[in-house]
């Protein structure tokens, strides 16, 4: 297995912006970089939301159901 070498953050940022600009153009690159990211839900709240929407019988059927 080969060893991974990380580039410095500043160099990585320059390369990423250069690639984005080449592929998207300067206006779309600027637009992309200024987009707001969706705020992450705290993991316990996210899990509780998932549980509330979960069909327990269907979930168990998918996990333990027969295959074939």
């Amino acid at each position: 297995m080969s060893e991974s070498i990380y580039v410095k953050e500043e160099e990585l940022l320059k390369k990423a912006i250069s690639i984005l600009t080449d592929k998207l153009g300067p206006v779309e690159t600027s637009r992309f970089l200024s987009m707001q990211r969706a705020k992450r839900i705290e993991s316990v709240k996210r899990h509780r939301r998932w549980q509330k929407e979960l069909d327990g019988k269907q979930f168990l059927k998918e996990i333990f159901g027969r295959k074939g």
Side-chain angles (χ1 to χ4, degrees), residues 8-66:
K8 293 181 181 179
E9 284 186 24
E10 185 176 327
E11 181 67 23
L12 179 63
L13 188 58
K14 285 180 182 180
K15 285 182 178 183
I17 291 173
S18 176
I19 291 168
L20 285 171
T21 303
D22 288 346
K23 298 292 181 180
L24 300 176
V27 173
E28 295 300 321
T29 297
S30 177
R31 185 171 158 230
F32 175 78
L33 293 173
S34 66
M35 292 172 69
Q36 285 189 341
R37 294 185 180 100
K39 189 174 181 180
R40 291 193 63 183
I41 301 172
E42 194 266 325
S43 62
V44 173
K45 288 182 182 178
R46 184 174 61 241
H47 185 74
R48 287 181 181 155
R49 181 185 294 171
W50 172 77
Q51 285 180 320
K52 188 185 293 185
E53 297 171 359
L54 181 67
D55 178 347
K57 288 182 182 179
Q58 179 64 30
F59 177 74
L60 292 175
K61 183 179 177 181
E62 288 177 22
I63 299 299
F64 298 110
R66 296 181 184 210

